[in-house]
Amino acid sequence: PGTATLTAVYQGITNSASITVLRSPLAALIHRYSFSETSGSTAHDSIGGADASLQGTAAFDGNGNVVLDGSSGCYVSLPVGVLTNLTAVTFETWLTNSTSPDNVCEFEFSSGSGTGGSYIRHVIHDQSNGRNQFEMTAGGDSDVLGYPGFGGQYVHVVCVYDPTTLVQQVYTNGVLASSQTGVSIPSVNNLWAFAGSLGRSPWWAYGDPYLAGSINEFRIYSGRLLSDEIAASDIVGPNTVLTSNVSMSATASGGVTTLSWPVASPGFTLYSSPTLGAGAVWSVATNAVSIAGQQYQVNISSSSGTKFFRLKR
């Protein structure tokens, strides 16, 4: 490590033409509701323009949350079409649930009749089995059962639904809570014409309770977020969006060069080569990757000689 090597590190990163794809692209964020409004009843979708509306006594608290008091008719209404043309979908939420009665839903997409039918939903707590439940009923019934409901906790929840690979998953606070694989599940596009709700059950007409708590962020992705991407999102939190646009920095001190890049850019592998140009031989760097704050870090000792580094995804 030294000045020449540090310059080469940056050269390797900016030479984007040499980067090859090692894994599937990051799932595209298509709808994002951050609830940063301070008044009114419109929750803006900063990505897809599909603005939501507050119903009943739902209200913004001015600190980036929509507050739901659990009363009948208190929820956030999402417009028709937010699931259009999706083959796989990931739902991501940061929320607090102050109570956990039977059949309280974090989100649901349905006909809006309140009598069930075809729908997709995440039930925070199903009293009959003491678990949270991610459920799709549309030309078939497919459930994923997870850990008990999280009453009174601020929690990061991710629900993955991928009919193309037969995967359903629920993550809480970046950790896989439950999954179902290898079982045929209905297409997302069975629900393309349905509207959505945050805090209301698709069975509301039969008395299912409404969510009492607050929602800080709700996101919908086209595609499937992978486990390391979900863990990264949990670390960076609701105010930061994952990205595949990455830059790496290098600092040298005491014979050690530390390479760093943002946790918000997960899924990248560090490669090294003893030379650049036509004679370069890139191989996976064996140095341990750690996380410090919101940065991935790798320490390179000067005893390893001159090396050049780049990131690949």
Side-chain angles (χ1 to χ4, degrees), residues 170-195:
V170 179
Y171 288 78
T172 54
N173 296 329
V175 178
L176 181 63
S178 60
S179 67
Q180 176 178 278
T181 60
V183 178
S184 180
I185 53 181
S187 167
V188 179
N189 269 329
N190 287 347
L191 304 179
W192 70 270
F194 287 172

Side-chain angles (χ1 to χ4, degrees), residues 12 33 39 54 77 89 101 122 138 163 174 196 233 266 303-304:
Y33 305 90
S39 62
L54 276 56
S77 176
V89 61
H122 177 223
S233 189
S303 62
S304 62

Side-chain angles (χ1 to χ4, degrees), residues 4 30 49 83 160 204 209:
I30 57 173
L83 302 185
V160 176
W204 56 269

Side-chain angles (χ1 to χ4, degrees), residues 213-224:
S214 61
I215 301 174
N216 180 261
E217 177 100 356
F218 181 69
R219 301 174 182 174
I220 301 174
Y221 298 82
S222 173
R224 173 184 170 190

